């Protein structure tokens, strides 16, 4: 309870702090601390009533509204080991009617844990989850604490995309009899959509939408409803991909990076039947959250992709065709950017793991 009171104090304190101003290609932007005193925050979900949900990797879900923070009861049990824990949170598009949210997490399984997706209802007071159902869990799990992926995105048709890493077992990203190294797509009740690309394929998990991914920790939709993801490479070769159904994104057969030992990965950078990234970084920036901006506040950023860097402490803005990094938004607040989202009012919110804080960007 003491820690929740500490966060409560810091929420009030944050409202009194003077905001920093960062210079960007679109002019000065104000960066305001919204919540401080967080422990390994992973994701933000912004509610229609201006409340905010924040996950912390150790298994805590926080509800922040009207300058007050509280721990939400009823979250699923997680295996908080390595990169695992309570990970993404996404607010359902029909939250005003259903009060449902989606959570991804490392679910304890025999011999370890696997990436799982749950749906639950947030109480009117924001202090409890009810009717929590685990509607998907990756099989097989594993004892490695690495590469859970774990963003969840609600598609325009109401289906759910979940990104899943290779769990450190590279060859499994090419083996469609398991979920490792994939993007999966399920209905809101966990059933498999009939138009998934492999639903009729023998020996293939029917939830799979795409495969050959290493560790996708960023995901978002553009204005056309297309899914974009950012994923960690090894030493070099971080990628941004436009995800197409049934496509193979190559890991670990092709990559623009090398192993941490310096050894070559796979067969090179290209192979027939495997997709090329829309953009890649070398050296790696350790990309996490990804958002495609609507243009509501900054019209010249409309359609641009924003990706947080955990390694180099900035927010990358990508634009153009071919897609390239055109700007680095950087300041004291962009210390290990884990998540980045657009609020309904067009402001940009992001998590700094290094500062243990959530910030909001608005026009100056």
């Amino acid at each position: 309870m003491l820690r929740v009171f500490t966060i409560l104090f810091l929420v009030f304190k944050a409202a009194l702090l003077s905001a920093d101003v960062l210079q960007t290609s679109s002019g000065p932007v104000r960066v305001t601390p919204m919540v401080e005193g967080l422990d390994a925050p992973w994701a933000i979900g912004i509610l229609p009533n201006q409340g905010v949900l924040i996950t912390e990797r150790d298994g805590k879900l926080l509800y922040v509204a009207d300058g007050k923070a509280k721990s939400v009861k009823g979250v699923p049990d997680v295996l908080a080991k390595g990169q695992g824990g309570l990970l993404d949170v996404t607010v359902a598009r029909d939250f005003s009617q259903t009060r449902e949210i989606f959570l991804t997490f490392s679910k304890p399984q025999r011999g370890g844990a696997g990436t799982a997706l749950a749906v639950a209802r947030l109480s009117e007071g924001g202090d409890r989850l009810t009717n929590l159902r685990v509607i998907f869990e990756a099989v097989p799990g594993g004892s490695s604490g690495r590469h859970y992926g774990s963003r969840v995105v609600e598609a325009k048709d109401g289906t759910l995309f979940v990104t899943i890493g290779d769990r450190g077992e590279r060859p499994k990203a090419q083996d469609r009899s398991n979920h490792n190294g994939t993007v999966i797509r399920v209905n809101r009740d966990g059933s498999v959509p009939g138009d998934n690309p492999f639903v009729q394929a023998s020996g293939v998990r029917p939830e799979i939408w795409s495969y050959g991914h290493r560790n996708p920790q960023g995901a978002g939709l553009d204005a056309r409803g297309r899914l974009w993801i950012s994923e960690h490479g090894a030493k070099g070769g971080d990628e941004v991909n436009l995800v197409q159904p049934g496509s193979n994104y190559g890991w670990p057969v092709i990559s623009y990076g090398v192993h941490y030992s310096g050894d070559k990965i796979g067969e090179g950078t290209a192979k027939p039947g495997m997709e090329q990234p829309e953009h890649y970084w070398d050296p790696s920036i350790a990309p996490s959250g990804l958002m495609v901006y609507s243009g509501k506040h900054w019209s010249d950023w409309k359609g641009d992709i924003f990706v947080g860097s955990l390694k180099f402490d900035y927010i990358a803005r990508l634009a153009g065709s071919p897609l390239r990094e055109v700007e680095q938004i950087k300041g004291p607040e962009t210390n290990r950017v884990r998540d980045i989202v657009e609020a309904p009012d067009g402001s940009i919110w992001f998590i700094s793991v290094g500062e243990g804080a959530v910030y909001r960007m608005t026009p100056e």
Side-chain angles (χ1 to χ4, degrees):
M1 186 62 69
L2 175 61
R3 188 168 162 277
V4 176
F5 285 141
T6 301
I7 295 172
L8 173 60
F9 167 74
L10 288 170
V11 171
F12 279 115
K13 179 186 174 190
L16 301 174
L17 293 176
S18 59
D20 195 9
V21 175
L22 301 181
Q23 298 301 318
T24 74
S25 62
S26 196
V29 298
R30 182 173 294 271
V31 182
T32 305
M34 304 305 292
V35 185
E36 296 184 313
L38 299 169
D39 181 16
W42 214 90
I44 322 163
I46 300 179
L47 300 164
N49 65 356
Q50 304 303 312
V52 179
L53 293 169
I54 303 168
T55 61
E56 292 183 311
R57 202 168 44 77
D58 64 1
K60 294 183 180 66
L61 177 64
L62 300 173
Y63 172 71
V64 182
D66 300 322
K68 301 177 182 178
K70 62 182 76 173
S71 286
V72 181
K73 298 178 182 178
V75 298
D77 292 333
V78 306
L79 184 63
K81 173 187 174 183
Q83 297 170 3
L86 184 60
L87 301 173
D88 205 12
V89 57
T90 294
V91 177
R93 196 174 294 114
D94 62 359
F95 178 86
S96 297
Q97 291 75 47
T98 65
R99 299 197 63 83
E100 287 191 334
I101 64 168
F102 310 109
L103 296 168
T104 63
F105 59 103
S106 53
K107 183 178 183 292
Q109 297 172 330
R110 180 180 297 179
T115 302
L117 169 67
V119 59
R121 186 179 185 277
L122 181 68
S123 66
E124 292 288 343
D127 61 346
R128 181 176 295 276
L129 297 180
T130 60
N131 197 25
L132 185 139
R133 296 99 66 201
V134 175
I135 60 173
F136 168 83
E137 59 182 281
V139 293
S143 59
S144 167
R146 295 181 291 163
H147 298 185
Y148 287 93
S150 214
R151 292 294 174 189
V152 52
V153 175
E154 183 182 7
K156 286 192 171 183
D157 64 3
T159 58
L160 301 171
F161 293 113
V162 179
T163 67
I164 303 170
D166 69 0
R167 301 304 310 285
E169 300 181 64
R170 294 187 294 269
K172 287 188 175 179
Q174 291 293 320
D175 177 2
R176 291 171 294 163
S177 68
N178 72 91
H179 294 116
N180 293 14
T182 67
V183 174
I184 65 102
R185 175 177 176 252
V186 294
N187 291 316
R188 196 147 155 175
D189 62 359
S191 61
V192 177
D195 60 348
N196 269 11
F198 303 116
V199 74
Q200 300 294 335
S202 176
V204 179
R205 296 285 175 178
E207 299 89 356
I208 294 175
W209 185 253
S210 63
Y211 64 107
H213 302 288
R214 184 174 183 268
N215 189 26
Q217 287 192 335
L221 300 179
D222 64 17
R224 295 164 57 184
R226 300 180 301 175
L227 179 68
W228 293 80
I229 65 172
S230 58
E231 53 185 296
H232 295 269
K235 188 177 180 181
D238 292 344
E239 296 181 356
V240 172
N241 284 303
L242 175 59
V243 180
Q244 302 290 348
S247 294
N248 180 354
Y249 289 82
W251 179 259
V253 180
I254 60 172
S255 173
Y256 283 90
V258 296
H259 292 299
Y260 294 114
S261 65
D263 291 342
K264 178 183 175 181
I265 293 173
E267 302 175 17
T269 58
K271 186 173 183 177
M274 295 183 178
E275 302 299 319
Q276 286 289 298
E278 298 295 321
H279 177 77
Y280 72 91
W281 287 275
D282 188 10
S284 295
I285 70 165
S288 193
L290 178 149
M291 174 268 293
V292 185
Y293 189 61
S294 71
K296 192 171 290 185
H297 275 322
W298 298 278
S299 59
D300 50 342
W301 288 351
K302 183 176 181 179
D304 292 355
I305 296 174
F306 290 74
V307 178
S309 168
L310 291 164
K311 182 177 181 181
F312 293 128
D313 303 333
Y314 68 90
I315 297 170
R317 182 171 69 85
L318 298 99
S321 181
L323 189 70
R324 63 188 181 91
E325 183 181 284
V326 295
E327 184 174 11
Q328 296 179 0
I329 299 171
K330 188 177 180 72
E333 300 84 359
T334 59
N335 184 358
R336 289 184 56 79
V337 177
R338 171 63 75 181
D339 195 16
I340 184 164
V341 300
E342 180 180 352
D345 66 0
S347 60
I348 296 174
W349 293 56
F350 65 91
I351 284 177
S352 164
V353 178
E355 298 300 310
V358 173
Y359 296 94
R360 180 181 65 185
M361 290 172 50
T362 53
E364 168 66 358

